[in-house]
Amino acid sequence: MMEKRGHKYGSNRHGYCCLFLIFLFLNFFESIAQKKEQTVILNSALINEQFNLFRFKNINRLALYADRYKLQKISELVKQEKWEELYHALRDYVSRFGIKNFYKDTYLIWKLAKLTELFGDQEEAKSLYRLVLKHHQQGIDIKEIELYYDSLNKQEIELYVPIDYYYELVEYRKAIDTLQPPRGVLLNMGGNVNSRLADYGPSLNVNDNVLIYTSKRNEIRVQLEFHRNEDLFYSKKDGRYWSVSEPMKGVNTQYNEGSATLSRDGKTLYFSRCDSPDTYGDCDIFMAEMQADSSWSNVTNLGVNVNSLAWDSHPSLSHTEDTLYFATDRIGGFGLSDIYFTYKKRNGEWAESQNMGPVINTRHNEVSPFS
């Protein structure tokens, strides 16, 4: 799954983290036609009910929002202790934030969250506290924020079982269930799929009968040295059993390939390739097309609208196939790596990729989206 060089994921570029998990929030985007192009917007229920009520329209427009006049007014309202007026002024200012504001001006979100408890909606206050917890850098008492958030979130906290107790339950169930492994317990897929070396980054097709994954079982010679090469392999399910894995011919090269996802009809493959002459950065996202004889060809870089001079990987295609999510460590994000998305325009080209925003991304690493 195209692991990043220098990130704390281990040594493999394609990573170990795309095990059909993470980001269940990728509920889909709706497409609307406007000015002869397709614009994708987040599902309103996702934004308004589960997260915060702010659209943050400047996220992909401005790096940093600043208005001296409005900040001076906010400062005067603090001195005058006009808290309700301050609430409305802060709400307007924070809603205009660009990406850099989330780590430069986190304290303003913190102040707004406290005022929202008094003059606004409790769910909105919780979403603001969550933003502070995700994006704070320093200078804020994080324990105090957690106390405020927990006091509002007590009912939700009670719905969750402590992780240590959960693992105790799993082990107990494994011990008493001797006929069939309990649901959720991991099973090795066996020698037809796995090798003695690293096998990771699995992805299933829409019918759950084709498994594509990354493996380091192949060795290539570079000048006088031998190196383990990352390649894509696939296995097909026949009844209860998986076939012997085969390399994806036409896709694999002497460079590193991994982190693949298939279209619904299984005829288009999106994957990542690293350190090749046709990449813009460390790793880029490519596509390939299946031919009549089931071979793969027409391997194409998705271009500068999607890829950057940095690391771009972990592609995940929406069920409507008009939106592609991926991870990147390009400059200008919220953290070490962020989730971005691109969508298909009416002419079939991919639009300029956009950051998914502060609700999804944090100051840490976001990788392996799954839709």
Side-chain angles (χ1 to χ4, degrees), residues 156-167:
E156 292 180 23
I157 291 173
E158 291 174 349
L159 297 177
Y160 293 89
V161 176
I163 192 66
D164 292 340
Y165 181 58
Y166 168 78
Y167 283 123

Side-chain angles (χ1 to χ4, degrees), residues 188 190-199 213 215-218:
N188 193 301
N192 282 357
V193 174
N194 293 311
S195 66
R196 293 183 178 181
L197 297 169
D199 303 295
Y213 62 97
S215 178
K216 296 191 76 173
R217 66 189 65 183
N218 286 340

Side-chain angles (χ1 to χ4, degrees), residues 300-332:
T300 308
N301 189 308
L302 290 191
V304 294
N305 277 356
V306 178
N307 295 306
S308 68
L309 298 177
W311 172 87
D312 303 289
S313 187
H314 300 194
S316 179
L317 190 65
S318 69
H319 286 245
T320 52
E321 300 193 350
D322 59 358
T323 309
L324 186 72
Y325 310 97
F326 62 97
T328 177
D329 67 354
R330 64 188 63 182
I331 295 173

Side-chain angles (χ1 to χ4, degrees), residues 15 84 118 136 151-152 171 180 185 265 276 305-306 308 346 369:
E84 189 165 2
L118 297 175
H136 76 93
S151 66
L152 290 176
E171 291 301 317
Q180 183 177 344
V185 174
D265 62 8
S276 71
N305 277 356
V306 178
S308 68
R346 183 168 288 184

Side-chain angles (χ1 to χ4, degrees), residues 233-250:
F233 284 75
Y234 72 94
S235 174
K236 294 183 177 181
K237 192 175 184 180
D238 183 11
R240 295 177 55 188
Y241 302 99
W242 292 92
S243 66
V244 176
S245 296
E246 298 181 39
M248 299 196 70
K249 297 179 180 179

